[in-house]
Amino acid sequence: GFSQGAMLTWTLALHHDEVGLAMPIAGWVPPEARPPDPHTPETWAMHGDADPIVRIEPTRAWVERLREGGNAVVLEEFPGAAHTVTPAMNALFETWLERAAFDRAPKLVSGLGASGVDEGARVAPFAMAPSIDPDAEAVPDERPHPEDLPIERAMDAAEARDAEAPPAAPPGAPASERASEGNGSGPRSAEAPPR
């Protein structure tokens, strides 16, 4: 998970023994969610050292506390990276994800594709939802809910709802309209963490 998702990743790993590996990006565990004697599964974390939103210092302190308790935690710091997932961070995450998948499912025959930064990848810009007037009168949706219909009609109703929804972002938006992808600075190591 990234940011709040990273905080959730750390917290779930602390409180649920069935989690086998955690990969948080740009996050840490708020003090009120920390057990007194924290034990985590193997954890591979990354964080930009110029993050102004979720500062890296609490992440460093948290990782040090976990390591002192005998937990296997790797922290890759990305020099100059702000609160974002840079292309280099994404490439390392994909490497880690494939390593985790192959370690846990050795008969897996296909991965995520070519490793590394996806050159020329196009990402549609984030589209804001139309503004909502909180004082406007609510208009009830008269269409039947798919759960209230026989399965065949429910599927047709769900497809009709999907067809009516406006696209989240214009397809094929040029790279100049994309949100910032960070500075692209790389990690200290492009390899998966040691086991």
Side-chain angles (χ1 to χ4, degrees), residues 141-144 156-168:
D141 186 349
E142 300 295 330
R143 299 172 296 177
D156 291 342
E159 288 174 7
R161 284 178 191 258
D162 290 345
E164 292 174 14

Side-chain angles (χ1 to χ4, degrees), residues 173-189:
S176 62
E177 294 178 16
R178 286 188 273 155
S180 170
E181 294 183 28
N183 64 7
S185 63
R188 292 182 312 233
S189 166

Side-chain angles (χ1 to χ4, degrees), residues 30-44:
E32 53 277 357
R34 297 176 185 174
D37 187 23
H39 294 285
T40 65
E42 186 172 12
T43 303
W44 304 341

